[in-house]
Amino acid sequence: MKKDTWARIGFTVPFLIPLLLFWIIPLFLAFGISFTDWDYISPNIGFVGLDNYKDIFTDSDFIKALFNTFYFAVGTIPPTLLISFGLALLFEKQFRGSRLFRSIIFSPYITPTVAVSMVWSWIYEPERGFANHLLGLFGIAPLPWLQDSSTAMISIILFTIWKSLGWTFLFYIGALAAVPKSTYEAAEIDGASYGRKLLHITLPLISPTTFFLFVVNLIQSIQVYDQIQIMTQGGPGGSTTTLLYMYYDKSFQNFKMGPANSIAMIILIIIVVLSLLSDRISSRFVHYE
């Protein structure tokens, strides 16, 4: 074997060891546990085959958690991308104070989710919360927000959109800055309006960024946990219980590691399938230079 090949292996191995220890091995262990009845405490582990998966798919709570997860994803991803893109168009050009506004927009993302979730729980407080105070200024009746199953998930969706705007916005700022100005100038010479330039130049050229942001936000939506744990604990009545929160509840609250890991495997399969599907769709709609 050539000397440079050994050098490449030597530089690669240190990065592969953490991947092996903290991702690949735990993944296979979780897959194996999903076929057992292990209670997380007892040293005795019984093999139950596919029973955990059969029970999960006939469990109404799992079906509800699956629906809540996709409801959350649909409710957060399109608004986050659209609002972030609109803000990027607004702040694309440098003007006095633009950096300050960019910092303000980005600041929620770098603030710990647990901390801002607690703050938003106070904002959503029915009696003295700022949200209902703001509604009152417009003559709108107060809402129960996190205390009612009809509004709890919407409340978390609004919080998540606010939290996710910052980093998505910055990616769009970078993508817009990379669009060649000569392309716009050529379109202006041909008499193209702002709307046509936006539709036929801007959107196609930033489509790789949009696709990347869509996939990352999709994965994050399926793995949503922090804000639900802090703000609602999956309630009221399971209306905000998502797949990952259900995994936490079964594993660390009820000590049912077998069923919990079967949920983890289902989450992994969903992420892989949706990522592959998104990649297939991107081949038609994403334009790489």
Side-chain angles (χ1 to χ4, degrees):
M1 190 176 293
K2 296 182 179 179
K3 186 177 180 180
D4 59 341
T5 303
W6 282 111
R8 291 170 190 161
I9 294 174
F11 283 115
T12 304
V13 168
F15 297 98
L16 291 179
I17 292 175
L19 181 67
L20 181 67
L21 292 177
F22 300 110
W23 196 85
I24 297 177
I25 292 177
L27 177 63
F28 280 99
L29 289 175
F31 179 69
I33 293 172
S34 70
F35 297 102
T36 70
D37 61 358
W38 188 38
D39 62 3
Y40 191 62
I41 299 174
S42 173
N44 300 319
I45 301 177
F47 180 77
V48 297
L50 295 174
D51 288 352
N52 289 329
Y53 291 92
K54 293 177 183 177
D55 293 341
I56 284 296
F57 282 109
T58 56
D59 185 355
S60 59
D61 291 336
F62 172 80
I63 302 301
K64 188 174 184 178
L66 183 63
F67 171 79
N68 288 340
T69 302
F70 282 98
Y71 176 42
F72 176 85
V74 172
T76 55
I77 297 173
T80 298
L81 295 181
L82 287 173
I83 297 173
S84 298
F85 179 61
L87 290 172
L89 290 176
L90 185 63
F91 293 102
E92 175 189 8
K93 296 181 179 179
Q94 295 284 345
F95 58 89
R96 188 172 184 178
S98 62
R99 291 189 177 182
L100 174 62
F101 284 110
R102 291 185 184 185
S103 300
I104 292 173
I105 294 171
F106 183 68
S107 59
Y109 177 71
I110 60 176
T111 307
T113 302
V114 173
V116 289
S117 295
M118 294 179 67
V119 173
W120 273 71
S121 295
W122 300 332
I123 291 174
Y124 284 139
E125 207 279 325
E127 298 296 330
R128 294 174 294 275
F130 179 73
N132 279 338
H133 174 73
L134 189 63
L135 292 179
L137 296 177
F138 296 94
I140 302 174
L143 295 175
W145 298 109
L146 301 174
Q147 281 69 38
D148 191 275
S149 59
S150 63
T151 56
M153 181 59 83
I154 296 174
S155 302
I156 291 179
I157 286 173
L158 291 175
F159 163 79
T160 305
I161 293 172
W162 170 83
K163 184 78 167 63
S164 304
L165 285 178
W167 75 279
T168 311
F169 160 76
L170 284 186
F171 269 92
Y172 271 130
I173 285 286
L176 290 174
V179 176
K181 298 297 183 289
S182 58
T183 308
Y184 290 126
E185 293 169 357
E188 289 173 359
I189 294 174
D190 292 336
S193 64
Y194 177 80
R196 293 183 67 85
K197 287 189 292 183
L198 182 67
L199 184 63
H200 297 289
I201 296 176
T202 306
L203 290 178
L205 290 181
I206 68 168
S207 58
T209 299
T210 300
F211 173 66
F212 167 76
L213 293 173
F214 171 78
V215 172
V216 173
N217 276 283
L218 177 64
I219 294 172
Q220 290 181 344
S221 296
I222 295 174
Q223 295 178 329
V224 62
Y225 171 78
D226 291 354
Q227 53 265 54
I228 292 175
Q229 170 65 20
I230 299 298
M231 299 170 76
T232 63
Q233 294 80 50
S239 59
T240 58
T241 298
T242 57
L243 290 177
L244 194 60
Y245 188 84
M246 189 178 185
Y247 165 81
Y248 161 79
D249 184 66
K250 281 188 176 294
S251 57
F252 301 109
Q253 295 293 319
N254 296 301
F255 303 107
K256 298 180 179 179
M257 294 302 293
N261 279 280
S262 65
I263 294 175
M265 294 300 104
I266 293 170
I267 293 174
L268 177 63
I269 292 171
I270 290 173
I271 291 174
V272 171
V273 169
L274 290 178
S275 298
L276 292 175
L277 183 62
S278 299
D279 187 60
R280 180 66 63 88
I281 295 173
S282 73
S283 63
R284 294 186 56 187
F285 299 102
V286 178
H287 303 273
Y288 296 98
E289 295 182 7

